[in-house]
Amino acid sequence: MRRLVLGGVLLCGAAGAATPYRVQTGDTLLGIALRAGMSVSAIRAVNPALRASSTVQLGRVIQIPDRSAPATTHTVTAGQNLTVIARKYGLTLTQLVRANPKYANGRPVPAGARLSIPARQVPVYLTTGRGTVAAAPARPAARSTRVVTTPAATRSSAPRSSADWLWPVTGYTTVSSGFGGRTLEGEGEQHYGIDIVAPVGTPVRAARAGRVLESRPDYQRGWGWTVVIEHPDGWITRYAHLSANLTKQGEWVVRGQPIGRVGDTGRSTGPHLHFGTYLRWNPRDPMTLYR
């Protein structure tokens, strides 16, 4: 999918193997190419308007081609699990398991095991001296309807929030896709979270207090705009497919604080919140935390 980098910030757009970048003060075509680790000709190849020019206009959006990463192997070290390794290589957990089917269904991966890492397209993220600043995502591009087959969707009374866990979308309790196996577009996969149906723009609140690990668009792995929070006792929560992020990486958020808004970005089947919970990056069913 295509991402828009705005001074180190990415916005969503149509599908494509390139990352749009908005030219900043002081940028030159050669300087951008050097920062991206590629040739000027590679950038010109995906930007027809630049083929006869050696200058770039301030504020103009140009395309930075994604980098092809070859297939490789990874030797598991102590303390690593599949989720951590998938993040390291820009893969979803499902993609990594498909390449290593012997570790499907939650089978643990021992230290010393060698995993196959499939070839993949890696986006090139350019930043500025100002770092990354949150920005409102662009309007999602139209896409074909996707069919998801899961165990029957559930509608419950509002889950009881405990002293530890707050339901992230107040007033909306329909779960359209639960934790575990499902079929998406004819392919079986593991769904490491739950999908809570709610209108676009509905506030999403932090289930617990913690430090924001990520607040960015992640189209490479299908999350769209996403927020990831690390909590003090080893728990981690992910909030994905957002229409807006309301927090920044490194920020401390309190339980119940608005951190984003429900959306339909990334690999999404309609407006909803993907809510994932992990204990030291091992996926756990969120619904078990609200009983």
Side-chain angles (χ1 to χ4, degrees):
M1 299 195 177
R2 186 172 293 172
R3 298 152 297 275
L4 173 59
V5 181
L6 180 55
V9 177
L10 295 96
L11 303 181
C12 63
T19 302
Y21 171 76
R22 189 180 298 279
V23 176
Q24 304 295 298
T25 301
D27 276 344
T28 64
L29 189 55
L30 177 59
I32 292 171
L34 289 173
R35 285 162 56 205
M38 61 186 64
S39 66
V40 169
S41 60
I43 295 179
R44 282 179 172 155
V46 295
N47 293 276
L50 297 179
R51 291 176 185 172
S53 174
S54 59
T55 61
V56 284
Q57 182 181 356
L58 177 65
R60 183 172 187 167
V61 175
I62 65 173
Q63 304 295 319
I64 308 297
D66 287 359
R67 177 173 58 86
S68 295
T72 186
T73 59
H74 174 88
T75 301
V76 180
T77 59
Q80 287 188 323
N81 58 34
L82 290 177
T83 308
V84 170
I85 297 166
R87 282 167 50 85
K88 174 181 175 66
Y89 291 98
L91 297 168
T92 65
L93 189 52
T94 296
Q95 289 170 331
L96 183 59
V97 170
R98 282 179 181 165
N100 300 271
K102 66 183 293 183
Y103 297 111
N105 301 318
R107 181 180 174 186
V109 183
R114 291 179 66 84
L115 299 180
S116 297
I117 306 298
R120 60 217 179 274
Q121 290 295 114
V122 180
V124 177
Y125 298 131
L126 299 184
T127 59
T128 69
R130 295 186 299 274
T132 299
V133 182
R139 184 180 182 85
R143 55 181 174 274
S144 60
T145 301
R146 298 186 172 99
V147 177
V148 182
T149 304
T150 66
T154 60
R155 180 182 294 274
S156 64
S157 57
R160 290 180 295 176
S161 297
S162 67
D164 289 329
W165 295 93
L166 180 76
W167 189 250
V169 189
T170 303
Y172 295 93
T173 58
T174 297
V175 175
S176 61
S177 184
F179 185 94
R182 69 176 183 179
T183 300
L184 179 60
E185 294 181 317
E187 295 186 8
E189 66 175 23
Q190 289 295 310
H191 186 222
Y192 296 104
I194 60 174
D195 291 345
I196 306 170
V197 179
V200 171
T202 302
V204 174
R205 302 180 186 279
R208 302 180 68 193
R211 185 77 60 187
V212 178
L213 288 180
E214 296 180 26
S215 181
R216 65 186 181 96
D218 185 352
Y219 281 85
Q220 187 69 18
R221 296 187 295 167
W223 295 123
W225 280 76
T226 184
V227 171
V228 178
I229 301 175
E230 183 177 31
H231 308 286
D233 54 359
W235 282 97
I236 297 154
T237 51
R238 178 183 291 279
Y239 313 78
H241 308 306
L242 303 174
S243 62
N245 287 17
L246 304 180
T247 187
K248 296 180 181 179
Q249 182 180 8
E251 182 181 350
W252 178 267
V253 296
V254 299
R255 180 178 185 265
Q257 179 176 331
I259 56 171
R261 296 188 184 280
V262 171
D264 188 20
T265 59
R267 187 171 179 253
S268 174
T269 56
H272 72 279
L273 170 70
H274 172 92
F275 178 49
T277 54
Y278 308 81
L279 182 57
R280 298 177 185 86
W281 283 116
N282 290 298
R284 296 288 187 267
D285 184 354
M287 294 303 290
T288 64
L289 304 172
Y290 292 92
R291 294 175 180 170

